[in-house]
Amino acid sequence: MMNGSRHYKLVQNDRQMKYLLGYTLRFLVALLVLTRNFQGCNGKAAPAHYYPRQLVDHLHQNDHYKGKLWSQRYYVWSDHFKGPGSPIFMILGGEGHISPETGIYYPFISDHLAKNFGAFVVQPEHRFYGFSQPLVHANLTLEGNSQQQSAESKRELRGRTLARKMDPRVQLFTAEQALMDAVRLVQHVAQDQLRCSLNKTSSDYCPVITVGGSYPGFLSMSARLRFPDVIDMSYAGSAPVKFYSQQVQEGDYYNHISKVAEKTIPGCSKAVRQALDDVLQEGSSSNYIPAIDVGICPGTLPDYIKSRHVFFEELFMMVGYTFANDNMGNYPPSPQTNLYKDCQIFLDDHSSAVDKVKTFLTDRLGRGSDCFNMGLQLPAGRHATISGGDWSGDGTGTDGESWDFQTCTLLVEKIGFSHESMFPPRNWTLDWMNAHCHARFGVKPRPTELVAKWKFDDLVAANASRILFTNGLNDGWSVGAVKQNLSESLLVLNFENGAHHSDLNSVGPRDTDTEDIKEGYIIIQNILAEWLDGVKALATK
């Protein structure tokens, strides 16, 4: 087993030796193709499709939903598909809606890998995001498990608060249900639309490759782990596997972001910490809340912020997750990135601490306005707070509410601010999560339930295979990534200059890519080609 970096063991025996020349040729051809297309494009706009026979509850946990269907939105790209027997790339949607303007997420898949492999691309929207709603919002509180209830019990349930009612999302809004959506959809597309055989020994069998970055990267890995009879291989970019197996310490995430900021411009992390400490000290002898001073528009302070203590917790959370967002987009590393510009703001010796924080927040959250609306930083839903289930940032609106719910149930992430980071310390605790999640959704986090069921904390012991992990080492999420090869078919590519799934981005291969990412594109194609050869070999036996 080789440790990390950009290495994988290709030639294992005489059988594989014959592939070497073929892969060398593929490397050169692919290099020419990628070089011609480095300018890329801003995603792939595509018309929406709808699958009206998706199951509300694949696991049959509730008689109320037995046999009930809903319509899932998805997108396809068929320009390069060579017909039955060719691969299907399934790009998995994640914690956000997918509009037709966005269409297909990753041009590297649709414009390059699909072209080189003659593949079809399908991309489902994740349930409970965007138009993919198994339940209408009015039905997000379920009055019991049975349709047959007494009038008395119904009256009793109606009188309870929302938090005390059973939220059907506890059973329906899970990674497992989303994966089963994807499996059902891809089988429908393969068999009913593309006329592919579902028999792996048939020459018309279309191998399925799942693809995803971030949470969808975790889903991509999990799809291969959980449904190996349907999913033939997985490409998982920046997959936060060890966050969900609870193998990450609470300070690791923001500690790493602080180190990357320091690497971006020396002195940055110290300057940020000093400015935040100074702002905290100003007016500390009173109950003064300096909202307007730091750029918050008058009248937009959320109602739940009534004390100076809560104000500063939420202020520093906004600073933290804004740096986190800019850390994810810090590619290619250069003075043009937002992370570099953030550091410049805090290193300005001519500005006061308050002015630095104000400039930073109004520039990044107010789009350069004189002030920003703090209320717009909230997710939707009752008892919404800026500090939510995900301390790297829940997001806003209904997507933010949905992600807050997921991180309040099974996708629990231990992310806090340690003394070693460039942010004022704030401990993440399960007690805090329990209180937040109960107030928001009437639920209790179950941090170990998913890993206990799926066993992804030891993929070798779980007999997993044909999973390719890619990681940008400047990415805060890399602290929870799989960063070493685990077996001959559980492989890792680590990109020294990469940020958050920089190989899977909305632009695609381009001439400004760093050399490690350029090389990575070729290696990724070769690994998938070898695995596809192995799958297709079954049809020739």
Side-chain angles (χ1 to χ4, degrees), residues 103-232:
I104 303 298
Y105 276 155
Y106 311 129
F108 176 49
I109 304 300
S110 58
D111 291 348
H112 301 284
L113 293 183
K115 182 177 181 179
N116 290 331
F117 293 134
F120 187 86
V121 182
V122 58
Q123 178 178 285
E125 187 174 55
H126 195 296
R127 58 168 52 203
F128 289 100
Y129 290 97
F131 278 81
S132 296
Q133 299 294 328
L135 304 176
V136 297
H137 196 271
N139 291 332
L140 287 183
T141 55
L142 186 68
E143 298 187 344
N145 286 339
S146 173
Q147 292 175 300
Q148 304 298 322
Q149 292 178 314
S150 69
E152 180 180 356
S153 66
K154 286 185 177 181
R155 284 194 299 270
E156 180 184 353
L157 283 165
R158 287 193 189 101
R160 295 178 184 176
T161 64
L162 180 65
R164 293 176 182 269
K165 292 180 181 179
M166 176 186 293
D167 190 325
R169 289 176 295 184
V170 172
Q171 294 180 330
L172 301 178
F173 192 7
T174 66
E176 185 166 24
Q177 296 274 15
L179 288 179
M180 296 178 85
D181 287 341
V183 167
R184 184 175 170 91
L185 174 65
V186 78
Q187 289 187 306
H188 157 70
V189 169
Q191 189 171 34
D192 300 334
Q193 296 184 9
L194 306 181
R195 304 305 178 194
C196 300
S197 172
L198 298 185
N199 182 349
K200 290 181 185 286
T201 64
S202 169
S203 60
D204 287 339
Y205 176 72
C206 296
V208 177
I209 308 163
T210 53
V211 181
S214 196
Y215 166 53
F218 170 75
L219 290 177
S220 177
M221 174 212 74
S222 301
R224 172 60 183 162
L225 175 65
R226 296 290 289 168
F227 303 101
D229 292 339
V230 178
I231 308 303
D232 295 284

Side-chain angles (χ1 to χ4, degrees), residues 225-512:
L225 175 65
R226 296 290 289 168
F227 303 101
D229 292 339
V230 178
I231 308 303
D232 295 284
M233 61 199 72
S234 164
Y235 173 5
S238 296
V241 177
K242 294 185 179 182
F243 278 93
Y244 301 141
S245 61
Q246 307 305 308
Q247 293 173 294
V248 176
Q249 299 302 309
E250 66 162 293
D252 291 350
Y253 179 78
Y254 278 112
N255 286 352
H256 190 69
I257 287 173
S258 300
K259 291 175 183 176
V260 173
E262 185 65 20
K263 184 170 72 171
T264 299
I265 302 183
C268 179
S269 61
K270 182 178 179 180
V272 172
R273 180 61 177 272
Q274 187 64 58
L276 298 181
D277 285 345
D278 289 350
V279 169
L280 181 62
Q281 290 304 313
E282 290 195 18
S284 59
S285 60
S286 67
N287 291 323
Y288 175 63
I289 295 178
I292 296 176
D293 299 353
V294 296
I296 298 168
C297 295
T300 70
L301 191 71
D303 290 340
Y304 73 91
I305 299 178
K306 301 183 184 302
S307 70
R308 180 180 168 88
H309 173 74
V310 173
F311 170 77
F312 276 105
E313 281 191 335
E314 300 300 61
L315 176 68
F316 295 153
M317 184 63 69
M318 290 189 296
V319 173
Y321 68 57
T322 302
F323 264 101
N325 286 335
D326 291 345
N327 167 271
M328 289 193 291
N330 187 41
Y331 177 82
S334 75
Q336 282 69 53
T337 67
N338 283 329
L339 182 60
Y340 190 98
K341 295 173 184 177
D342 296 342
C343 289
Q344 284 184 314
I345 290 171
F346 283 94
L347 285 165
D348 182 1
D349 292 335
H350 302 291
S351 297
S352 69
V354 170
D355 286 341
K356 290 176 182 179
V357 174
K358 179 179 180 179
T359 300
F360 171 74
L361 292 175
T362 54
D363 179 63
R364 300 297 295 116
L365 303 182
R367 309 294 184 186
S369 300
D370 292 336
C371 64
F372 72 98
N373 186 330
M374 189 174 181
L376 294 181
Q377 294 300 303
L378 293 170
R382 66 195 300 269
H383 300 317
T385 53
I386 287 171
S387 297
D390 179 356
W391 281 19
S392 77
D394 278 335
T396 60
T398 55
D399 285 351
E401 178 186 14
S402 290
W403 186 239
D404 197 7
F405 183 87
Q406 285 195 271
T407 53
C408 265
T409 47
L410 295 173
L411 300 177
V412 178
E413 302 161 347
K414 290 191 291 187
I415 297 176
F417 299 92
S418 79
H419 289 273
E420 297 175 26
S421 82
M422 61 184 182
F423 308 100
R426 181 183 175 188
N427 292 333
W428 180 98
T429 68
L430 193 56
D431 286 342
W432 185 94
M433 282 287 290
N434 285 334
H436 168 77
C437 298
H438 178 75
R440 279 284 270 156
F441 309 110
V443 300
K444 184 176 182 179
R446 292 118 64 200
T448 59
E449 184 174 313
L450 201 58
V451 66
K453 185 175 183 179
W454 292 3
K455 311 297 184 186
F456 53 83
D457 55 333
D458 190 341
L459 292 171
V460 175
N463 295 316
S465 65
R466 294 201 295 262
I467 301 173
L468 171 62
F469 296 97
T470 62
N471 306 298
L473 297 183
N474 286 329
D475 179 20
W477 293 102
S478 68
V479 300
V482 176
K483 288 186 286 192
Q484 293 185 341
N485 292 341
L486 302 178
S487 73
E488 302 301 343
S489 65
L490 295 172
L491 304 178
V492 176
L493 299 180
N494 291 323
F495 303 120
E496 183 178 355
N497 296 298
H500 199 52
H501 56 83
S502 298
D503 48 318
L504 290 171
N505 57 62
S506 63
V507 178
R510 49 193 163 166
D511 54 6
T512 56

